[in-house]
């Protein structure tokens, strides 16, 4: 067994979460439809300090679930360095997406869904309302860093 | 941008999936309740060549969702080396779990939920019925390796 590192403080975990939001390219995105059928796929995102921006076809399972349920569970990092985010979902089409979100996404991923005719791409801008972070069991205590949209650390 | 590797054959992907099932300790487990509220957490598993065995409290959100919906979406590997598994769920209590599943789980994780009184641990044995694997966009074609419980490669 690997040695388990000491539990980090809330402040250390918050800094780590913000670093991952800046550094990571993709996140695991879990959604469900009204019947409870679940979908989990990796999607690219950008982060502007307040919200995550994803782009995927409106007609895809994930796009459809995000639009109809307004619910999402996002995972960053590894299974032993977990960041879980729940957020509020706003949906934009190619034509009405605020340029700030779409430009940042295009710059980060060298791909602009507004100019991609291969799918009916929409934008899903997700503002975190709950954020959790833990590595191993010794960090389960204190894992909730944001609740109801407010950082607690 | 990193160079994209050539697309692997179905056989190469199947070997990679089986290697990950042997080597990985944890997987992302996405479930939902009947109202469509989604949950996504990492859980440890063991693999016996036919099924994945997880153990988590029966009363946890994931345990409850698995038991009531019988549905799960499991992700292994990274967001640029994706393995997605859908499967049939069988649920066992500590007292009726077949020893083969529980012994293999305990040996792999040096932790035996049958002897852990800290939670109402149950076992969730999941037989894959659909398996997908891809790295980048050039591997989206041919990503479905198993369908209806049958390997197609």
């Amino acid at each position: 067994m690997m040695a388990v590192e000491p539990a980090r403080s809330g402040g250390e975990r918050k800094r780590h979460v913000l670093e991952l939001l800046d550094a990571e390219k993709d996140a695991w995105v879990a959604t469900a439809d009204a019947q409870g059928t679940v979908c989990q796929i990796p999607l690219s995102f950008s982060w502007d300090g307040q919200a995550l921006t994803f782009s995927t076809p409106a007609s895809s399972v994930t796009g459809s679930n995000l639009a109809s349920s307004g619910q999402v569970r996002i995972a960053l990092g590894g299974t032993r360095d977990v960041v879980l985010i729940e957020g509020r979902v706003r949906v934009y089409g190619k034509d009405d997406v605020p340029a700030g979100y779409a430009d940042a996404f295009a710059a980060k991923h060298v791909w602009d869904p507004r100019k991609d005719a291969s799918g009916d791409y929409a934008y899903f801008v997700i503002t975190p309302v709950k954020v959790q972070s833990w590595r191993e069991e010794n960090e389960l205590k204190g894992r909730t860093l944001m609740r109801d949209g407010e950082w607690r650390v």
Side-chain angles (χ1 to χ4, degrees), chain A residues 16-121:
Chain A
H16 177 64
V17 168
L18 294 174
E19 284 167 6
L20 277 186
L21 284 165
D22 273 331
E24 292 286 305
K25 289 186 172 171
D26 314 305
W28 290 105
V29 176
T31 57
D33 66 17
Q35 285 72 50
T37 302
V38 70
C39 180
Q40 180 184 42
I41 60 164
L43 287 178
S44 297
F45 72 95
S46 54
W47 166 249
D48 67 0
Q50 299 293 327
L52 299 92
T53 298
F54 294 85
S55 186
T56 198
S59 60
S60 66
V61 175
T62 295
S64 170
N65 287 348
L66 284 169
S68 61
S69 74
Q71 281 197 61
V72 64
R73 193 109 173 196
I74 296 164
L76 296 178
T79 54
R80 300 277 167 129
D81 180 13
V82 177
V83 173
L84 287 181
I85 298 172
E86 294 178 39
R88 270 191 304 273
V89 182
R90 281 170 292 161
V91 186
Y92 298 101
K94 284 180 184 183
D95 296 330
D96 66 351
V97 61
Y101 298 131
D103 289 349
F105 185 93
K108 180 172 178 182
H109 297 292
V110 199
W111 169 56
D112 193 335
R114 290 171 297 187
K115 300 174 183 163
D116 190 333
S118 72
D120 57 336
Y121 285 98

Side-chain angles (χ1 to χ4, degrees), chain A residues 4 7 13 80 134-141 143:
Chain A
V4 174
R13 299 192 208 193
R80 300 277 167 129
W134 72 92
R135 290 186 302 212
E136 300 275 352
E137 193 178 355
N138 66 331
E139 286 199 353
L140 287 177
K141 188 179 170 193
R143 68 185 178 275

